[in-house]
Amino acid sequence: MLLTLTGISKSFGAVQALRDVDLAVAAGEVHAVLGENGAGKSTLMHIADGLLPPDTGTVAVDGRPVRFRSARDARGHGIGMVHQHSTAVPAFSVMENIALAAGWAVAPTRLRRRVEALTERLALPLDPSLPASTLSVSLKQRLEIIKALAAEARVLLLDEPTAVLAPAESEELFRFVRRFTQGGGGVALITHKLEEALAVADRITVLRRGAVVLSSPRSEVTAEGLTTAMIGGSLVVAPPAVPLRDGPVLVQCEGLEVRGDGGRGLRQASCTIRGGELVAVAGVEGNGQRELLRAVAGLTRPFRGLLEVARPVAFVPEDRTTEGLIPSMTLTENVVLGVGRAASWVTGRGVRRVDWSAARQRTAELADRFDVRSDGTEATAGSLSGGNQQKLLVARALERRPRVLVAENPTRGLDLQATAEVHGRLHAAAAAGAAVLVYSNDLDEVLVLGDRVLVAAGGVITEAPAGIDRVRLGAMILGQGGPDAE
Amino acid sequence: TAREAPAPFRVALVTPGSIADAAWNSGAFTGLNWIHDSLGVPVSHVEARTPAEQEEALRTYAEQGYNLVFGHGFEFQGPAERVSTEYPGAVFIITSGERVQGNVAPLIFRLHEASYLAGMVAGGVTKSGMIGFVGGVELPPVREASEAWVAGARAVNPQVRSRTTYLNNWDDAALGREAARALIRVGADMLHHNADAAAIGVFQAARETQGVYVFGANADQAALAPAQVLGSAVIDLPRAFLLVAREVQGGTFVPRVESFGLASGVVQYVPNHALDSLVPAALAARVRAAEDSIRQQDGP
Amino acid sequence: MDPMAVAGDVLVAAVGIATPLALAATGEVLAERSGVVNLGIEGAMLFGALGGAIGATVAGSATGLGVGILAGVLVAALFAAVAIGAGADQIITGTAVTLASVGLTGTIYRQFYGPAGVGLSLPTLSPIPIPFLADLPLIGDALFAQPVTTYLMYILVPLVWYLLFRTRPGLAVRAVGEDPTAARAAGVSVRLTRAWAVLAGGALAGLAGATLVLAQVGTFTERMTAGRGFIAIAIVVLGRWNPVGAGLAALLFGLATALQFALQAAGLDVPYQFFLMLPYLLTLFALAGAVGRGQAPAALGKSEG
Amino acid sequence: MRSNLRALGIGAAALLIGLFLLAVGLELAGYDAGAALAALWDGAFGSWRAFTGATLVRAVPLILIGLGFALALRGGALNIGAEGQFYAGAIAAAWVGVHAGGWPAWVALPAVALAGLAAGALWMLLPVILKLRFGVLEVITTLLLNFVAEALVSFMVQGPMQEPSGIYPQSAPIVEAARLPFLFGSRLHAGFVVALLVALALAWVFARTWWGFRLRALGEGPRAAEVSGRVRAGRMLAVALLWSGALAGLAGAFEVSGVSYALYQNLSPGYGFTAIGVALLARLRPSAIVLTGVVFAALEAGAGAMQRDAGIPAVAVYVVEGVVILVLLLGDAAARRQASRRAVPVVDGSP
Ligand SMILES: Nc1ncnc2c1ncn2[C@@H]1O[C@H](COP(=O)(O)OP(=O)(O)OP(=O)(O)O)[C@@H](O)[C@H]1O
Ligand SMILES: Nc1ncnc2c1ncn2[C@@H]1O[C@H](COP(=O)(O)OP(=O)(O)OP(=O)(O)O)[C@@H](O)[C@H]1O
Ligand SMILES: [Mg+2]
Ligand SMILES: [Mg+2]
């Protein structure tokens, strides 16, 4: 066994995140770890990576017990980790981030060559001199993977590596994972996508509420069995709402042009979205969809063209801990910030006051309704698991009762049940008369969600024909001469 | 020292800055120690840099029953006047003060008389015809000293030109040095100062430059640059302090404007005799004559 | 007088004034890049000055520089123990360390040289002209006929730049200053890295203080640094947290100060207070003129609980 | 609650240990530690007179400036130019106070206070403009303007505002009507009450108002606050900074109209910097700022008493002050660590 975790327990205050968990990663094997949001997957990986000490239990490498005091110790034992959220230093360039993680020398020319060689070998291209802060979420994820692999790890801990990757990128990653295990490495892979786990894993462990509820070889499990184990029952999917016909036009754009970071951006978009419609945008990162969504959300000013958007608008940004939530503030405070003074708990004229007890009460209701699992409404947003943060963001956006709802990758990192719930909410918002505009880098999600599908390619937004299938949509986002992600 | 007295006589001093400045404040502190040693009375000292602290220090001393409180600088005049009405039993002596009011009395040092003599020497010795003065903060006694220094030089040599630089600081010796060097650059070869500790940099600048000489202030500062200090305008603060303290202790003190000039011997121009050769005999004689005539005018 | 010569002399003064500022600011760049604002460098400079004076009294200028550096490191160690070790607020810790340093240097000085004892006058380091270079017109003397401490500054500023931007320890320092969480994920010890950066910064501040004594005034006086530590911190911002930038900003400030005195000495009929404002106003204009637009290290000043 | 008590206990223990070490240090240096610490206490709290006239009088500017500092920092802006704004306020207040002849007190006093507020805000205007227009960090511009303000006061008291005889570097005294009344027959002026009211008001703004909440959101998560669409960062910071300057200006005005009655050059013993410690130690909470303001003021008041009554030289007193603050910090850090056993995210997504 390359890595063995035995009897691991861990609590944060009143929350018991892990309860007597065992997990082993063998050489040549991919061990998938599944579980709903907040099940304790990331916590387990943090313990394996030396970032957190377990309350009880042992970590062993090559059968020998070890005691990690920092990630550096874990690195020393050949363990590398890809975090769920980017751990890149934003002010650093890509290559500096890689040097930091891998312990490489930093002389620029040599470093650049080394990084280029690495990214080429891994088939994960990334411009070494870009500042990390300008990378899109998916490129940040790519950087995470490169960082972990640069350090010559024998064990890779991958915490939802594919959550923000396009299908083609995910396939690249798994090709790499296979090469890695064939070379004698071992991989622990966290994912919410069942088909991924079933496709690449040799062994699957399911966590629920901090405890192992299933652990078997791949050959002995089925998708249904896994689902049941994960959520302790069967998936509840809301019946799709009936789309509203002929609602009022709430979003109208004509010859819209928006400047993006680094020259690219939205070059041309014309669209009309009516109340009751759910429009999904497909596209590879960097083809103008981000600019379109942000312009509709009122965050960036169009450079040219017409844009009319009904108010209020709510926006769910993809980067949930810098643009969405304020990690150091409580759930209530984050909800209050998001809903704004339209909320009933903001009272008075002139000097507006916040009625905190009303806000707390409402937040508790929202958390309950959207199944946001936390230590209570006064817990900080930063203490939530990634999926629960996302649920809070969506709950908060809907609480505004927006006429236009804009969301970027709204189910990134959500478990099956939560994904189904968010989809249901988006449909319900549309059914209630809102115009909903969603971008997802997951083509399947685009197809499932969208009443209509827009395609972003080369900075131009076009409408996909009704009833388009996955293959043709995939061709459209890549094939029409648009610039690739890199 | 144990004394059999119902209310022991006690003396306090409030300085506006550190007593380690080898000049204005250190002289006062030495005076306080002299009082302690000669009269055998308890003494106390506080450093107070802001107007609020200064008033509070005076008030607290009076409240605690100190009989004699020295406020060491003109800035204590106002606070002392305010405090004294509440404590008629205490005597407040304000060095460089302005006027008598109740039991507040100034102790004035006409240091500028000595600075005038220093200026005469400078005016006679300068080769460039340019002299320079470095002031800490532009306070009345500082300005008077600077003006007298220039007047003295012009009395000997009407063609002398002069420059004055202020630091807005009493502590920054490195800045004092830069100010002096800037003066030297425009041709000044005779320097004088009234900048307390910051002036140490002035001496350093003189030591660094051939042919530049410097005059000390407040204390005999020849030791700071034995080969460059031609003389110092000196206040014998301890002597004056002791004099007043004796009177107050003896009950003979009558509030008055007590002003010390050259005649009293409390203010002196002290030449550095090691460099006497640089001062022509005729000039030295002229300086002595001027000194005598000032003493005469001062005289009782 | 020859205007060229006057200008040259002003430049000489500018470089002299800039030297301790540049040294201290370079040290502070190191600390701030690691995410630590050390207001204690004023105290470290003061101790460096006292150490320089005592060291030079006992065993000459070279020893003085060494003792000054050591003294600066000790002050920085006190700061690091409280602000990094215990995770106390950096700004208050720095203020307290400076306050204690003002007092301790004064007390120690009086123990050594008597309560009112100035009288200490040390030989200062004399300028060492560098052959040929010192003969350059205008800038020759200013840049290449300076005391050894200025040449140390010429070496240390690019050295710290190299350290920060071209070596692994430098990368770790910057990572810790930008994003301690990410740095920890990469296996870097946040506290240790910060401690080293602060100690190195203290060494440079100590050297800066010793420079004041040994290359400039030749003696120690209480509070003689007179706020230079705070100016150095402003210079760090002006230099955009880059040692070379800080060196240039220090030069700008030195030039403005030298100019200020030159103008006062020129006997112009303008209230001297306006000349006193000059260096600060000039710096403000430099900032407005786009020089000062920079980004502070993202985790600057945030203590690690 | 229990853990709070425990934290308090640990903080107190750290404090006691630190004070004990300080006492040992003083004894080793040849001073009477007992007498020194007793004088420190007596000078600050020993009598009603000392407490009001020495401690609370000093606390007024510390509290006001500390509140202003906290206001700006809540929104993420660092105002370290309070010293300059204090002087700006003092200049304006002295000017009004000198020229308020014939005004009744109910006109003169508000006029003086308003002058201080306005001048403090005005002194902040340049940093605000430079920040919004050119992106220049307020940390450095406010700091630089301190030096400019000091030179300006020096010019004022020797130039346009010099007292009539033209000898002393100070302004003429302000008229009686412009002097703040004393409270409870002590030397404590009415500015203290205003400082308390401002603290109350600010506590309310932070805890209860929409504006105060958005300001805090801006400080804690600037990007998220802006994306939420609730906060216009530039405008909000400008307002917070201007108020921050105004409060420091008010402190300067009160120092003139409640303590010194004239403009002097070195009116402030560094209140603008000490107050930063006051605000930070209080973790920017207004009620706590009142408390830490009094603590720091007590320390300064006690410092004078140590020189006066225990014969400790001024320089050694600085050491005591510095060490007491460090000891306070260590106690606080120990207490905090005990209280916040709640884990912080080890690796979260926030860059
Ligand atoms: N640093 C922390 N402080 C407090 N609670 C925490 C902390 N980290 C995790 N938790 C809690 O521990 C539980 C497990 O969290 P963890 O991040 O491991 O979940 P996860 O399985 O990775 O979920 P997701 O799929 O949403 O990423 C959650 O209830 C979370 O709120
Ligand atoms: N109390 C307030 N004081 C000052 N500015 C405010 C206040 N409330 C809101 N604003 C500003 O007004 C702008 C609009 O705020 P907000 O979005 O909450 O209200 P709205 O636009 O009227 O309502 P809605 O968003 O529901 O259409 C924001 O930029 C916000 O900063
Ligand atoms: Mg997770
Ligand atoms: Mg709105």
Side-chain angles (χ1 to χ4, degrees):
Chain A
M1 276 302 142
L2 284 177
L3 173 69
T4 324
L5 302 167
T6 325
I8 304 286
S9 295
K10 178 79 190 173
S11 304
F12 298 102
V15 179
Q16 178 143 30
L18 292 172
R19 198 172 297 151
D20 196 21
V21 172
D22 297 336
L23 184 82
V25 179
E29 246 187 33
V30 176
H31 191 152
V33 181
L34 306 183
E36 58 187 348
N37 294 129
K41 307 178 295 294
S42 296
T43 304
L44 188 63
M45 294 302 125
H46 286 158
I47 288 170
D49 195 42
L51 284 166
L52 278 177
D55 293 343
T56 60
T58 54
V59 179
V61 174
D62 292 327
R64 273 186 300 276
V66 286
R67 171 164 255 145
F68 296 150
R69 272 160 310 153
S70 76
R72 186 197 202 86
D73 294 347
R75 272 337 142 258
H77 284 85
I79 293 169
M81 175 154 180
V82 170
H83 288 271
Q84 181 173 7
H85 298 120
S86 169
T87 58
V89 178
F92 280 13
S93 65
V94 163
M95 58 183 180
E96 282 179 321
N97 271 299
I98 293 170
L100 179 69
W104 289 356
V106 291
T109 27
R110 271 194 35 225
L111 178 59
R112 171 188 303 275
R113 249 182 273 127
R114 208 167 164 185
V115 167
E116 278 166 354
L118 175 73
T119 51
E120 201 160 308
R121 180 162 60 83
L122 301 174
L124 295 171
L126 192 58
D127 181 349
S129 48
L130 281 181
S133 60
T134 65
L135 298 181
S136 67
V137 179
S138 84
L139 288 184
K140 274 187 189 147
Q141 189 76 334
R142 184 180 295 187
L143 173 58
E144 277 308 278
I145 296 165
I146 299 171
K147 273 163 55 184
L149 295 174
E152 306 288 341
R154 291 183 302 140
V155 182
L156 271 181
L157 312 172
L158 305 177
D159 194 351
E160 301 192 33
T162 58
V164 290
L165 297 187
E169 295 172 317
S170 297
E171 276 154 34
E172 285 294 346
L173 175 68
F174 290 127
R175 267 199 290 282
F176 171 80
V177 163
R178 255 173 242 117
R179 283 205 304 278
F180 181 77
T181 48
Q182 276 156 17
V187 172
L189 170 74
I190 295 179
T191 177
H192 288 296
K193 298 174 184 167
L194 281 187
E195 58 286 14
E196 268 178 22
L198 291 168
V200 299
D202 300 295
R203 196 173 177 84
I204 297 179
T205 291
V206 178
L207 290 180
R208 178 145 44 91
R209 312 240 155 154
V212 175
V213 290
L214 181 149
S215 186
S216 5
R218 156 72 183 92
S219 50
E220 294 170 18
V221 294
T222 60
E224 295 72 43
L226 286 178
T227 309
T228 315
M230 271 166 68
I231 57 185
S234 52
L235 199 59
V236 184
V237 182
V242 187
L244 199 74
R245 301 261 166 234
D246 298 324
V249 173
L250 298 181
V251 179
Q252 170 94 55
C253 62
E254 195 70 57
L256 186 64
E257 212 179 308
V258 184
R259 297 208 155 153
D261 305 327
R264 282 183 307 208
L266 180 64
R267 291 195 292 145
Q268 164 66 38
S270 299
C271 60
T272 305
I273 308 176
R274 292 176 177 275
E277 276 191 311
L278 200 165
V279 175
V281 187
V284 177
E285 221 38 85
N287 281 272
Q289 68 273 42
R290 178 184 164 90
E291 287 75 16
L292 173 69
L293 265 76
R294 281 166 185 254
V296 171
L299 290 177
T300 41
R301 210 181 291 259
F303 176 60
R304 194 175 288 146
L306 169 101
L307 176 66
E308 278 169 8
V309 181
R311 321 211 68 199
V313 184
F315 177 56
V316 178
E318 65 177 342
D319 189 336
R320 49 195 173 216
T321 47
T322 54
E323 297 202 317
L325 302 170
I326 300 180
S328 60
M329 292 184 118
T330 66
L331 303 197
T332 308
E333 288 168 331
N334 274 290
V335 167
V336 169
L337 178 67
V339 182
R341 61 179 182 172
S344 59
W345 55 70
V346 178
T347 58
R349 281 223 199 87
V351 185
R352 290 189 173 71
R353 293 180 299 279
V354 181
D355 177 353
W356 286 107
S357 72
R360 265 196 297 276
Q361 208 171 338
R362 183 65 186 148
T363 303
E365 283 166 30
L366 285 180
D368 193 47
R369 192 136 62 82
F370 284 78
D371 193 27
V372 178
R373 297 198 192 150
S374 73
D375 220 354
T377 57
E378 300 314 289
T380 59
S383 74
L384 295 187
S385 79
N388 283 307
Q389 288 177 345
Q390 188 65 23
K391 288 190 258 180
L392 183 67
L393 263 179
V394 173
R396 164 178 113 166
L398 293 175
E399 180 66 8
R400 291 210 78 191
R401 307 197 184 292
R403 298 189 73 201
V404 175
L405 174 63
V406 181
E408 295 173 337
N409 283 315
T411 61
R412 176 165 75 92
L414 292 197
D415 63 35
L416 288 173
Q417 181 63 53
T419 302
E421 277 164 20
V422 167
H423 285 180
R425 303 280 178 199
L426 295 177
H427 279 300
V436 181
L437 178 62
V438 177
Y439 163 70
S440 170
N441 60 358
D442 180 346
L443 290 186
D444 294 317
E445 182 167 44
V446 167
L447 290 167
V448 169
L449 266 182
D451 301 327
R452 286 193 289 136
V453 174
L454 299 180
V455 175
V460 179
I461 307 288
T462 48
E463 176 142 10
I468 188 170
D469 63 22
R470 192 179 193 285
V471 178
R472 278 177 38 228
L473 186 58
M476 268 188 93
I477 62 171
L478 292 173
Q480 301 205 327
D484 197 284
E486 275 303 315
Chain B
T1 35
R3 302 176 99 252
E4 284 295 347
F9 183 75
R10 291 187 296 169
V11 181
L13 166 70
V14 188
T15 56
S18 167
I19 52 163
D21 62 354
W24 178 249
N25 295 313
S26 74
F29 189 66
T30 312
L32 188 70
N33 285 337
W34 275 27
I35 292 171
H36 172 74
D37 296 342
S38 318
L39 307 184
V41 299
V43 297
S44 173
H45 163 248
V46 163
E47 182 182 311
R49 289 173 181 254
T50 70
E53 286 173 356
Q54 288 162 356
E55 178 167 341
E56 178 190 310
L58 296 182
R59 175 170 281 112
T60 312
Y61 275 131
E63 166 72 15
Q64 292 184 344
Y66 280 79
N67 312 68
L68 170 60
V69 183
F70 287 95
H72 194 48
F74 79 93
E75 57 267 57
F76 290 90
Q77 180 82 37
E81 286 179 9
R82 284 198 286 279
V83 172
S84 67
T85 53
E86 297 166 37
Y87 302 97
V91 172
F92 297 90
I93 299 296
I94 310 304
T95 39
S96 300
E98 195 182 352
R99 55 169 178 262
V100 175
Q101 187 165 85
N103 44 347
V104 178
L107 194 58
I108 295 173
F109 302 101
R110 298 195 300 279
L111 181 65
H112 53 270
E113 293 178 357
S115 287
Y116 180 87
L117 299 181
M120 288 182 71
V121 177
V125 178
T126 177
K127 295 212 163 59
S128 64
M130 170 81 87
I131 63 173
F133 183 91
V134 177
V137 175
E138 192 181 358
L139 304 182
V142 176
R143 199 170 43 218
E144 276 167 19
S146 135
E147 283 163 4
W149 146 262
V150 176
R154 295 237 167 97
V156 174
N157 175 358
Q159 255 64 59
V160 164
R161 289 166 309 144
S162 80
R163 295 289 152 81
T164 297
T165 296
Y166 284 101
L167 307 173
N168 230 22
N169 184 313
W170 299 108
D171 306 310
D172 193 334
L175 223 52
R177 171 171 172 268
E178 292 306 333
R181 277 158 48 109
L183 289 168
I184 293 168
R185 273 203 300 278
V186 296
D189 60 353
M190 296 289 138
L191 300 175
H192 186 31
H193 77 88
N194 199 320
D196 278 2
I200 290 169
V202 177
F203 292 90
Q204 174 63 21
R207 277 203 308 229
E208 287 169 7
T209 326
Q210 266 290 308
V212 171
Y213 297 93
V214 62
F215 294 83
N218 291 325
D220 182 357
Q221 297 182 306
L224 288 175
Q228 281 81 22
V229 174
L230 287 176
S232 300
V234 174
I235 307 178
D236 194 345
L237 282 164
R239 211 167 114 189
F241 272 42
L242 193 56
L243 221 95
V244 175
R246 279 222 168 87
E247 279 187 29
V248 176
Q249 187 188 28
T252 58
F253 180 78
V254 183
R256 62 180 187 277
V257 177
E258 182 68 81
S259 177
F260 296 102
L262 289 171
S264 66
V266 168
V267 170
Q268 303 164 46
Y269 173 71
V270 181
N272 177 9
H273 290 296
L275 299 184
D276 274 350
S277 60
L278 291 171
V279 183
L283 178 63
R286 233 177 122 177
V287 172
R288 269 193 302 278
E291 184 172 1
D292 286 340
S293 89
I294 296 172
R295 279 192 178 153
Q296 229 80 95
Q297 286 164 28
D298 282 359
Chain C
M1 224 192 311
D2 176 12
M4 272 291 269
V6 173
D9 283 344
V10 169
L11 287 178
V12 172
V15 174
I17 297 169
T19 299
L21 290 175
L23 285 168
T26 303
E28 182 69 10
V29 166
L30 211 47
E32 292 201 9
R33 277 285 180 171
S34 82
V36 181
V37 184
N38 180 5
L39 291 186
I41 61 163
E42 174 81 13
M45 275 180 91
L46 207 45
F47 256 102
L50 181 64
I54 293 178
T57 313
V58 175
S61 301
T63 312
L65 289 179
V67 175
I69 291 172
L70 195 69
V73 171
L74 287 178
V75 176
L78 173 65
F79 172 86
V82 179
I84 302 171
D89 184 275
Q90 295 169 4
I91 291 181
I92 320 178
T93 307
T95 318
V97 165
T98 292
L99 194 62
S101 300
V102 169
L104 266 179
T105 48
T107 310
I108 296 172
Y109 173 73
R110 292 180 192 188
Q111 296 281 330
F112 261 71
Y113 303 105
V118 176
L120 167 71
S121 91
L122 299 158
T124 50
L125 298 160
S126 42
I128 308 169
I130 296 182
F132 308 117
L133 288 176
D135 299 330
L136 290 171
L138 197 58
I139 55 164
D141 280 344
L143 296 178
F144 304 111
Q146 291 280 356
V148 63
T149 44
T150 299
Y151 301 128
L152 275 176
M153 184 262 281
Y154 292 165
I155 297 169
L156 284 166
V157 167
L159 194 69
V160 170
W161 178 88
Y162 183 84
L163 182 79
L164 270 176
F165 297 102
R166 288 292 179 272
T167 70
R168 271 205 54 73
L171 188 72
V173 165
R174 286 186 293 133
V176 161
E178 289 290 345
D179 190 342
T181 324
R184 192 175 310 108
V188 175
S189 164
V190 176
R191 288 185 187 200
L192 215 60
T193 309
R194 289 189 168 170
W196 278 116
V198 165
L199 291 184
L204 283 167
L207 177 59
T211 300
L212 272 183
V213 167
L214 298 174
Q216 300 191 3
V217 280
T219 189
F220 177 85
T221 62
E222 283 173 18
R223 291 168 185 261
M224 70 179 293
T225 50
R228 276 181 185 70
F230 300 111
I231 301 287
I233 287 171
I235 284 172
V236 170
V237 183
L238 189 60
R240 299 182 185 204
W241 289 274
N242 182 319
V244 177
L248 293 175
L251 268 180
L252 171 76
F253 195 83
L255 186 63
T257 308
L259 212 59
Q260 189 266 112
F261 284 124
L263 289 172
Q264 279 205 53
L268 301 176
D269 193 17
V270 174
Y272 69 93
Q273 290 93 348
F274 291 98
F275 296 124
L276 290 172
M277 293 177 191
L278 183 79
Y280 309 103
L281 289 177
L282 215 67
T283 311
L284 268 175
F285 286 127
L287 283 164
V291 184
R293 256 177 276 175
Q295 199 58 55
L300 187 61
K302 305 209 168 80
S303 49
E304 262 247 314
Chain D
M1 194 61 224
R2 203 205 277 71
S3 77
N4 275 347
L5 275 181
R6 214 183 129 93
L8 217 65
I10 289 188
L15 250 165
L16 285 179
I17 294 171
L19 286 177
F20 175 73
L21 290 178
L22 179 65
V24 171
L26 278 171
E27 287 288 344
L28 286 181
Y31 302 119
D32 181 348
L37 293 179
L40 179 66
W41 178 262
D42 283 345
F45 302 109
S47 63
W48 179 242
R49 167 179 214 98
F51 181 58
T52 53
T55 298
L56 292 186
V57 166
R58 281 186 175 81
V60 174
L62 291 179
I63 292 171
L64 282 172
I65 298 174
L67 290 170
F69 178 82
L71 178 64
L73 193 54
R74 283 264 173 156
L78 259 177
N79 170 20
I80 51 177
E83 194 80 359
Q85 296 135 22
F86 174 96
Y87 276 121
I91 292 173
W95 193 86
V96 171
V98 168
H99 293 92
W103 303 8
W106 62 269
V107 176
L109 285 175
V112 163
L114 277 178
L117 281 167
L122 198 69
W123 200 250
M124 184 52 103
L125 202 59
L126 184 64
V128 166
I129 292 172
L130 287 178
K131 184 180 175 76
L132 298 190
R133 267 301 186 61
F134 301 97
V136 182
L137 296 171
E138 72 284 355
V139 192
I140 178 166
T141 47
T142 52
L143 174 71
L144 287 171
L145 281 176
N146 286 339
F147 298 98
V148 178
E150 276 170 23
L152 185 67
V153 180
S154 165
F155 170 69
M156 283 297 173
V157 295
Q158 272 154 39
M161 288 178 69
Q162 191 168 24
E163 43 83 35
S165 80
I167 299 173
Y168 299 100
Q170 61 195 45
S171 75
I174 60 173
V175 302
E176 288 287 343
R179 300 183 184 186
L180 285 166
F182 289 125
L183 300 174
F184 345 102
S186 68
R187 308 288 313 169
L188 177 59
H189 56 82
F192 182 67
V193 178
V194 178
L196 292 185
L197 289 177
V198 173
L200 269 176
L202 220 51
W204 179 76
V205 167
F206 289 159
R208 294 267 168 246
T209 71
W210 176 228
W211 188 84
F213 167 68
R214 288 183 303 147
L215 182 70
R216 190 152 63 82
L218 179 61
E220 294 202 28
R223 184 72 194 134
E226 276 197 272
V227 170
S228 78
R230 309 288 149 232
V231 176
R232 257 180 284 164
R235 215 173 69 175
M236 207 146 198
L237 279 184
V239 172
L241 276 171
L242 290 174
W243 271 109
S244 179
L247 287 177
L250 184 64
F254 282 172
E255 199 67 7
V256 167
S257 92
V259 181
S260 73
Y261 303 142
L263 183 64
Y264 295 87
Q265 239 180 88
N266 45 354
L267 203 55
S268 163
Y271 286 135
F273 297 105
T274 311
I276 295 177
V278 165
L280 289 174
L281 195 60
R283 263 180 232 109
L284 311 185
R285 286 177 314 228
S287 54
I289 286 173
V290 172
L291 196 75
T292 51
V294 172
V295 168
F296 275 70
L299 202 53
E300 299 256 322
M306 272 193 283
Q307 296 177 49
R308 202 172 51 227
D309 303 335
I312 312 281
V315 283
V317 167
Y318 290 133
V319 184
V320 177
E321 280 190 83
V323 172
V324 169
I325 297 174
L326 288 177
V327 163
L328 271 175
L329 280 174
L330 286 173
D332 176 64
R336 193 152 33 101
R337 210 172 283 183
Q338 180 62 33
S340 70
R341 275 287 155 83
R342 302 188 49 161
V344 232
V346 205
V347 175
D348 65 21
S350 56

